[in-house]
Amino acid sequence: MLRALVTDIDGTITNKARRIDTGALECIRSLVDDGIEVVFASGNTTCFMDALSKMAGTKGTFIAENGGVYRIGYAGKLHITGDQAVCRSALETVQAHFRKKGIELELYNPEYRFADLAFARTVPADEVQEVLAGQPVQVIDTGFAIHLQSEGVSKGGTLALLARDMGLSPKDFFAIGDGINDAGMLTAAGKGVTVANAHIETKKAASDVMDNEYGTGFVQAVKKYRPYLRAR
């Protein structure tokens, strides 16, 4: 049996424009009301995750910054697994490169990040990768932003840390996601599924692919696997 749900946000419980699917939100609240732990896992900042958790009605447990940060419950300690100093150095290299071309990167809330750094997809991710070749940093294109994350940090790896601290195993989790950054989380979980709009590599990592896209695909997944979920 599965004892908790971990889900991505953007592209999984939202539509392409990042509007939360109301059906997905109702689904999450139903699980919470039934005693099922729901954990959000995203590239977003901790303050974003905190606000969304409260509005959705979860217990406040999340994985943020693509695995760079995690917390159990609203009063829990914030654990930082990434090295932002490495990311900051990499960002300076990327900024210098694109400034020579007259391009200024649009940063996403650097003052609210503890582990990774993110900016708008106004420059090619593969060019960013080339510029940073040889540096100990990952370039993660989520489809919504480009993230710089220290090596070895991922949603899947942090799910193992989170599960340990919760007294669970990653195999106790039902995972849903869509982005390339969700692939490791899907394989680490006891059951990992994806929605129809998912990245091709994420679909390969999933044990099941829903017919529906975005939030409606999330609802389809939860309804399909709800019988296997049990309250802790």
Side-chain angles (χ1 to χ4, degrees):
M1 287 295 172
L2 301 167
R3 302 172 66 188
L5 167 69
V6 57
T7 181
D8 172 56
I9 298 173
D10 297 314
T12 301
I13 65 169
T14 74
N15 63 16
K16 192 173 183 179
R18 295 190 75 201
R19 292 185 175 183
I20 293 181
D21 185 282
T22 55
L25 191 57
E26 289 176 4
C27 212
I28 289 168
R29 288 172 174 165
S30 177
L31 291 173
V32 172
D33 290 344
D34 287 342
I36 306 297
E37 186 89 32
V38 176
V39 177
F40 289 126
S42 173
N44 283 297
T45 62
T46 57
C47 54
F48 177 99
M49 301 296 278
D50 194 52
L52 179 61
S53 296
K54 289 180 179 178
M55 298 295 252
T58 74
K59 293 181 179 179
T61 298
F62 61 71
I63 296 170
E65 299 185 37
N66 290 309
V69 180
Y70 75 95
R71 188 188 72 190
I72 298 174
Y74 292 108
K77 176 185 176 182
L78 196 66
H79 298 271
I80 301 172
T81 67
D83 182 355
Q84 195 181 61
V86 170
C87 301
R88 195 175 299 114
S89 175
L91 177 64
E92 290 171 357
T93 300
V94 175
Q95 286 176 313
H97 171 81
F98 284 106
R99 279 172 182 157
K100 291 178 182 178
K101 297 185 173 186
I103 301 172
E104 191 68 36
L105 300 183
E106 180 186 348
L107 303 185
Y108 285 159
N109 309 117
E111 67 273 26
Y112 298 122
R113 293 183 175 275
F114 297 94
D116 79 351
L117 290 168
F119 49 90
R121 299 174 75 243
T122 53
V123 295
D126 56 354
E127 185 173 350
V128 175
Q129 187 77 62
E130 290 175 7
V131 170
L132 295 177
Q135 291 201 33
V137 66
Q138 304 175 70
V139 177
I140 306 170
D141 183 0
T142 66
F144 293 90
I146 296 175
H147 294 255
L148 303 181
Q149 181 63 274
S150 48
E151 289 183 336
V153 177
S154 67
K155 287 186 182 181
T158 300
L159 176 60
L161 300 176
L162 178 88
R164 177 200 64 194
D165 291 355
M166 293 175 68
L168 298 172
S169 160
K171 297 304 179 184
D172 289 321
F173 282 81
F174 174 38
I176 309 175
D178 75 299
I180 187 64
N181 56 325
D182 295 319
M185 181 174 77
L186 301 189
T187 55
K191 172 65 69 172
V193 307
T194 191
V195 288
N197 56 285
H199 189 284
I200 183 63
E201 294 302 321
T202 311
K203 289 181 177 179
K204 291 178 181 178
S207 59
D208 196 2
V209 179
M210 297 299 102
D211 297 324
N212 296 330
E213 297 183 330
Y214 300 103
T216 54
F218 172 86
V219 172
Q220 180 187 8
V222 172
K223 287 182 176 179
K224 182 174 182 178
Y225 291 98
R226 179 64 182 85
Y228 301 97
L229 282 162
R230 291 289 183 272
R232 294 180 61 193

